[in-house]
Amino acid sequence: ATVGLFFLALLLVIVVGTVVSLLTHFFRRACALEELGVIEAIRRGFTVVRQHLKDVVIMWLIMVGLGIGWVIVMIPVVILLVLLAGVVGGLPALLAGGLARLALEGATPWILAAVVGLAIFVVVMAAPMLFLGGLVEVFKSSLWTLTYRELRALEGLATEARELPEPDVPGQV
């Protein structure tokens, strides 16, 4: 029973976390774009999501699909970066280890070589990955902002449609 309850609680945490994460996009946009306070932004964001739940779920599914596609596209990029970083970090590591071997004994040259090689490896791996990750975050943020603005525009159109007077039909008095 404990294992079953654990997995049920885990599922509940995942679902609640996903919903809160989705709502947070709309809370932040309401706060920033409409210059609302925290509580009012939460109300506005929740209202937008509630009124356009179908559109929000479809947008979330598109984002999940894009995320999966991004991971698939990044697999060969990461493999190439690991190879490049291994070569770029490995050559100075061999050089540092060889030079240290001339003056030092035991494990010290190996440790020095590992420190030099690992430092260069991390820099060569991290720089492109951080840049690409930043591009992805900018894209996601822009997409959620455009989604919020579009949903708010749809609300405005619905409000305007209710406020328009009935059109005059030609030929009637």
Side-chain angles (χ1 to χ4, degrees):
T2 303
V3 172
L5 288 175
F6 171 76
F7 284 114
L8 184 62
L10 184 64
L11 178 66
L12 182 65
V13 166
I14 291 171
V15 169
V16 169
T18 303
V19 169
V20 169
S21 172
L22 181 62
L23 288 172
T24 303
H25 293 296
F26 291 92
F27 300 160
R28 289 178 182 160
R29 269 84 187 159
C31 185
L33 296 175
E34 299 181 28
E35 299 178 1
L36 300 174
V38 174
I39 301 300
E40 187 59 34
I42 290 172
R43 284 189 190 125
R44 178 71 52 86
F46 189 73
T47 302
V48 169
V49 171
R50 192 181 63 222
Q51 290 176 348
H52 302 283
L53 186 61
K54 178 182 165 189
D55 297 323
V56 170
V57 169
I58 289 172
M59 189 64 210
W60 178 76
L61 288 172
I62 289 170
M63 291 300 290
V64 168
L66 287 173
I68 292 169
W70 177 252
V71 168
I72 292 170
V73 166
M74 286 303 293
I75 290 172
V77 172
V78 169
I79 291 171
L80 289 173
L81 278 176
V82 166
L83 293 173
L84 178 68
V87 170
V88 171
L91 294 176
L94 287 173
L95 180 63
L99 291 175
R101 184 58 126 185
L102 295 173
L104 303 169
E105 293 181 7
T108 307
W110 291 98
I111 294 171
L112 184 62
V115 167
V116 169
L118 191 60
I120 295 172
F121 180 86
V122 168
V123 169
V124 171
M125 282 295 294
M129 295 302 289
L130 287 172
F131 177 72
L132 293 174
L135 289 178
V136 168
E137 288 304 314
V138 168
F139 173 76
K140 290 191 314 190
S141 178
S142 299
L143 202 57
W144 281 115
T145 301
L146 291 173
T147 300
Y148 179 84
R149 291 179 61 148
E150 192 66 30
L151 294 177
R152 290 291 293 152
L154 288 174
E155 287 177 7
L157 290 176
T159 304
E160 289 175 10
R162 281 181 282 190
E163 294 174 358
L164 290 176
E166 290 294 320
D168 293 334
V169 178
Q172 288 185 349
V173 178

